[in-house]
Amino acid sequence: MASIISLRSTSSLHRQFINRGTNPSTSTSCDPLPILARRCRLNMPGTAVYAQPAVTAAPPSSQGEGAGGVYRKLILLRHADSDSPANVRDHDRPISDKGKQEAAEIAQKLIEAGWIPDMVLASNAKRTKQTLDEMGNVIESLGDVDAHLYGSLYTVAALDGQTRQHIEECLLEVVDDAKNYCVMCVGHNKGMEEAASSFAKQAVKLKTASAALLQCAAASWADVLRPHAAGVSPSSSVGSIDDADCEVAVWHLVDVITPSGAGA
């Protein structure tokens, strides 16, 4: 049974976090339907403090409807640069001072591009949560969206070729067609690069705090996600997973935005 509690972060910022999954540092499970373990309501006030140059390419037709329905946007974001303190397990590594700057800068770039998340899915590692905290100082509305934290998004990132399908499975569990049009997923390499490349059908490089902006027109999120999340096999009537994606909806890579000086 889920419990609802109110927590305050060390930065005195507030967010609605829905924690999912087992112990992220030891679990190897990629179960898309983990147990609802904790939920807390937070309000995150903030101001944009890093004025950055505009993104290199404005997203074409990024608002309204397309031929296949309304535009669905997906932001795949790698966490910001992190430190590696001695005697600290990987899951608990904090972001660095450079990472704080990167997170604020990428948040400003998202504002300028007009890609403001209305839902967040994230690994529950410390560095991903701190990346979101720093972004919330710039994107004020980020404090009002649901952030679903999955331990499995931490573990699955190290497994070959599984991150995209797991992201889709998690999205199908929580996304609302009437409320969610721009979802941001925050995670780790190698998984995030693999997922972005799979969605875009081309190689995508994600440095620290870099984001792949993907867009497609579809009547519902299920139309976009369900064939691949269901593991459509090459023997199916549509021929392959890629064919299934194309038949239902085609994802377009609008841009890859990167903070200045981002690490590999």
Side-chain angles (χ1 to χ4, degrees), residues 163-181:
T163 300
R164 174 183 177 174
Q165 183 170 336
H166 188 57
I167 289 172
E168 292 175 319
E169 290 166 342
C170 293
L171 269 173
L172 285 170
E173 179 190 350
V174 298
V175 76
D176 186 324
D177 286 332
K179 297 179 180 179
N180 304 128
Y181 299 95

mmCIF file of all heavy atoms in Angstrom, residues 163-181:
data_model
loop_
_atom_site.group_PDB
_atom_site.id
_atom_site.type_symbol
_atom_site.label_atom_id
_atom_site.label_comp_id
_atom_site.label_asym_id
_atom_site.label_seq_id
_atom_site.Cartn_x
_atom_site.Cartn_y
_atom_site.Cartn_z
ATOM 1 N N THR A 163 16.923 -0.076 -22.850
ATOM 2 C CA THR A 163 16.412 1.152 -22.239
ATOM 3 C C THR A 163 15.199 1.708 -22.967
ATOM 4 O O THR A 163 14.233 2.149 -22.335
ATOM 5 C CB THR A 163 17.518 2.219 -22.163
ATOM 6 O OG1 THR A 163 18.599 1.719 -21.369
ATOM 7 C CG2 THR A 163 17.000 3.500 -21.524
ATOM 8 N N ARG A 164 15.212 1.690 -24.306
ATOM 9 C CA ARG A 164 14.056 2.243 -25.024
ATOM 10 C C ARG A 164 12.780 1.517 -24.644
ATOM 11 O O ARG A 164 11.768 2.153 -24.308
ATOM 12 C CB ARG A 164 14.263 2.163 -26.537
ATOM 13 C CG ARG A 164 12.989 2.605 -27.280
ATOM 14 C CD ARG A 164 13.072 2.496 -28.772
ATOM 15 N NE ARG A 164 11.793 2.874 -29.366
ATOM 16 C CZ ARG A 164 11.552 3.000 -30.672
ATOM 17 N NH1 ARG A 164 12.533 2.760 -31.533
ATOM 18 N NH2 ARG A 164 10.368 3.350 -31.112
ATOM 19 N N GLN A 165 12.789 0.197 -24.707
ATOM 20 C CA GLN A 165 11.569 -0.542 -24.414
ATOM 21 C C GLN A 165 11.114 -0.299 -22.979
ATOM 22 O O GLN A 165 9.911 -0.172 -22.713
ATOM 23 C CB GLN A 165 11.774 -2.038 -24.655
ATOM 24 C CG GLN A 165 10.495 -2.839 -24.427
ATOM 25 C CD GLN A 165 10.600 -4.282 -24.888
ATOM 26 O OE1 GLN A 165 11.422 -4.606 -25.753
ATOM 27 N NE2 GLN A 165 9.793 -5.159 -24.313
ATOM 28 N N HIS A 166 12.057 -0.194 -22.056
ATOM 29 C CA HIS A 166 11.665 0.029 -20.664
ATOM 30 C C HIS A 166 11.068 1.420 -20.477
ATOM 31 O O HIS A 166 10.085 1.589 -19.745
ATOM 32 C CB HIS A 166 12.863 -0.156 -19.745
ATOM 33 C CG HIS A 166 12.495 -0.142 -18.295
ATOM 34 N ND1 HIS A 166 11.569 -1.010 -17.752
ATOM 35 C CD2 HIS A 166 12.893 0.661 -17.271
ATOM 36 C CE1 HIS A 166 11.422 -0.751 -16.465
ATOM 37 N NE2 HIS A 166 12.209 0.255 -16.150
ATOM 38 N N ILE A 167 11.633 2.423 -21.131
ATOM 39 C CA ILE A 167 11.054 3.770 -21.079
ATOM 40 C C ILE A 167 9.615 3.730 -21.594
ATOM 41 O O ILE A 167 8.697 4.313 -20.988
ATOM 42 C CB ILE A 167 11.892 4.761 -21.899
ATOM 43 C CG1 ILE A 167 13.228 5.048 -21.200
ATOM 44 C CG2 ILE A 167 11.131 6.069 -22.132
ATOM 45 C CD1 ILE A 167 14.200 5.861 -22.032
ATOM 46 N N GLU A 168 9.401 3.048 -22.704
ATOM 47 C CA GLU A 168 8.061 2.974 -23.277
ATOM 48 C C GLU A 168 7.079 2.261 -22.338
ATOM 49 O O GLU A 168 5.929 2.693 -22.172
ATOM 50 C CB GLU A 168 8.129 2.261 -24.627
ATOM 51 C CG GLU A 168 8.862 3.077 -25.679
ATOM 52 C CD GLU A 168 9.044 2.331 -26.990
ATOM 53 O OE1 GLU A 168 9.358 1.132 -26.954
ATOM 54 O OE2 GLU A 168 8.880 2.980 -28.039
ATOM 55 N N GLU A 169 7.528 1.178 -21.732
ATOM 56 C CA GLU A 169 6.668 0.461 -20.797
ATOM 57 C C GLU A 169 6.295 1.334 -19.599
ATOM 58 O O GLU A 169 5.140 1.351 -19.157
ATOM 59 C CB GLU A 169 7.364 -0.822 -20.335
ATOM 60 C CG GLU A 169 7.473 -1.869 -21.428
ATOM 61 C CD GLU A 169 8.436 -2.992 -21.079
ATOM 62 O OE1 GLU A 169 9.268 -2.805 -20.169
ATOM 63 O OE2 GLU A 169 8.376 -4.049 -21.727
ATOM 64 N N CYS A 170 7.276 2.054 -19.079
ATOM 65 C CA CYS A 170 7.006 2.941 -17.941
ATOM 66 C C CYS A 170 6.061 4.067 -18.329
ATOM 67 O O CYS A 170 5.156 4.435 -17.573
ATOM 68 C CB CYS A 170 8.317 3.506 -17.399
ATOM 69 S SG CYS A 170 9.412 2.289 -16.642
ATOM 70 N N LEU A 171 6.262 4.636 -19.513
ATOM 71 C CA LEU A 171 5.391 5.708 -19.979
ATOM 72 C C LEU A 171 3.947 5.233 -20.121
ATOM 73 O O LEU A 171 3.009 5.921 -19.695
ATOM 74 C CB LEU A 171 5.888 6.240 -21.330
ATOM 75 C CG LEU A 171 6.864 7.398 -21.302
ATOM 76 C CD1 LEU A 171 7.383 7.700 -22.701
ATOM 77 C CD2 LEU A 171 6.203 8.648 -20.718
ATOM 78 N N LEU A 172 3.772 4.060 -20.706
ATOM 79 C CA LEU A 172 2.419 3.546 -20.889
ATOM 80 C C LEU A 172 1.706 3.339 -19.560
ATOM 81 O O LEU A 172 0.476 3.395 -19.492
ATOM 82 C CB LEU A 172 2.463 2.226 -21.666
ATOM 83 C CG LEU A 172 2.731 2.360 -23.166
ATOM 84 C CD1 LEU A 172 2.994 0.991 -23.781
ATOM 85 C CD2 LEU A 172 1.563 3.045 -23.866
ATOM 86 N N GLU A 173 2.466 3.122 -18.502
ATOM 87 C CA GLU A 173 1.883 2.922 -17.179
ATOM 88 C C GLU A 173 1.314 4.212 -16.597
ATOM 89 O O GLU A 173 0.311 4.180 -15.874
ATOM 90 C CB GLU A 173 2.942 2.354 -16.233
ATOM 91 C CG GLU A 173 2.458 2.113 -14.815
ATOM 92 C CD GLU A 173 3.595 1.783 -13.857
ATOM 93 O OE1 GLU A 173 4.724 1.554 -14.325
ATOM 94 O OE2 GLU A 173 3.351 1.781 -12.648
ATOM 95 N N VAL A 174 1.918 5.360 -16.916
ATOM 96 C CA VAL A 174 1.564 6.581 -16.177
ATOM 97 C C VAL A 174 1.081 7.745 -17.030
ATOM 98 O O VAL A 174 0.482 8.686 -16.514
ATOM 99 C CB VAL A 174 2.783 7.064 -15.331
ATOM 100 C CG1 VAL A 174 3.155 6.013 -14.299
ATOM 101 C CG2 VAL A 174 3.987 7.402 -16.218
ATOM 102 N N VAL A 175 1.337 7.719 -18.335
ATOM 103 C CA VAL A 175 1.060 8.903 -19.150
ATOM 104 C C VAL A 175 -0.442 9.069 -19.376
ATOM 105 O O VAL A 175 -1.199 8.100 -19.423
ATOM 106 C CB VAL A 175 1.827 8.807 -20.491
ATOM 107 C CG1 VAL A 175 1.146 7.824 -21.447
ATOM 108 C CG2 VAL A 175 1.999 10.177 -21.123
ATOM 109 N N ASP A 176 -0.870 10.321 -19.510
ATOM 110 C CA ASP A 176 -2.274 10.675 -19.717
ATOM 111 C C ASP A 176 -2.377 11.434 -21.038
ATOM 112 O O ASP A 176 -1.801 12.506 -21.193
ATOM 113 C CB ASP A 176 -2.765 11.536 -18.548
ATOM 114 C CG ASP A 176 -4.257 11.835 -18.608
ATOM 115 O OD1 ASP A 176 -4.792 12.013 -19.719
ATOM 116 O OD2 ASP A 176 -4.885 11.920 -17.534
ATOM 117 N N ASP A 177 -3.128 10.882 -21.988
ATOM 118 C CA ASP A 177 -3.234 11.499 -23.311
ATOM 119 C C ASP A 177 -3.767 12.926 -23.251
ATOM 120 O O ASP A 177 -3.394 13.768 -24.071
ATOM 121 C CB ASP A 177 -4.153 10.668 -24.216
ATOM 122 C CG ASP A 177 -3.499 9.387 -24.685
ATOM 123 O OD1 ASP A 177 -2.265 9.349 -24.800
ATOM 124 O OD2 ASP A 177 -4.238 8.406 -24.935
ATOM 125 N N ALA A 178 -4.663 13.184 -22.304
ATOM 126 C CA ALA A 178 -5.300 14.501 -22.230
ATOM 127 C C ALA A 178 -4.438 15.542 -21.522
ATOM 128 O O ALA A 178 -4.667 16.745 -21.676
ATOM 129 C CB ALA A 178 -6.646 14.389 -21.525
ATOM 130 N N LYS A 179 -3.448 15.095 -20.760
ATOM 131 C CA LYS A 179 -2.660 16.023 -19.953
ATOM 132 C C LYS A 179 -1.195 16.110 -20.362
ATOM 133 O O LYS A 179 -0.548 17.137 -20.122
ATOM 134 C CB LYS A 179 -2.722 15.621 -18.472
ATOM 135 C CG LYS A 179 -4.101 15.692 -17.855
ATOM 136 C CD LYS A 179 -4.067 15.253 -16.394
ATOM 137 C CE LYS A 179 -5.432 15.307 -15.748
ATOM 138 N NZ LYS A 179 -5.389 14.849 -14.328
ATOM 139 N N ASN A 180 -0.657 15.060 -20.939
ATOM 140 C CA ASN A 180 0.784 14.986 -21.168
ATOM 141 C C ASN A 180 1.112 15.019 -22.658
ATOM 142 O O ASN A 180 0.701 14.131 -23.413
ATOM 143 C CB ASN A 180 1.361 13.710 -20.547
ATOM 144 C CG ASN A 180 1.062 13.593 -19.070
ATOM 145 O OD1 ASN A 180 0.548 12.578 -18.592
ATOM 146 N ND2 ASN A 180 1.380 14.637 -18.316
ATOM 147 N N TYR A 181 1.830 16.059 -23.042
ATOM 148 C CA TYR A 181 2.235 16.231 -24.436
ATOM 149 C C TYR A 181 3.753 16.311 -24.587
ATOM 150 O O TYR A 181 4.265 16.142 -25.689
ATOM 151 C CB TYR A 181 1.580 17.490 -25.018
ATOM 152 C CG TYR A 181 0.080 17.424 -24.998
ATOM 153 C CD1 TYR A 181 -0.647 17.982 -23.956
ATOM 154 C CD2 TYR A 181 -0.622 16.775 -26.015
ATOM 155 C CE1 TYR A 181 -2.041 17.897 -23.920
ATOM 156 C CE2 TYR A 181 -2.007 16.694 -26.001
ATOM 157 C CZ TYR A 181 -2.707 17.256 -24.942
ATOM 158 O OH TYR A 181 -4.080 17.167 -24.912
#
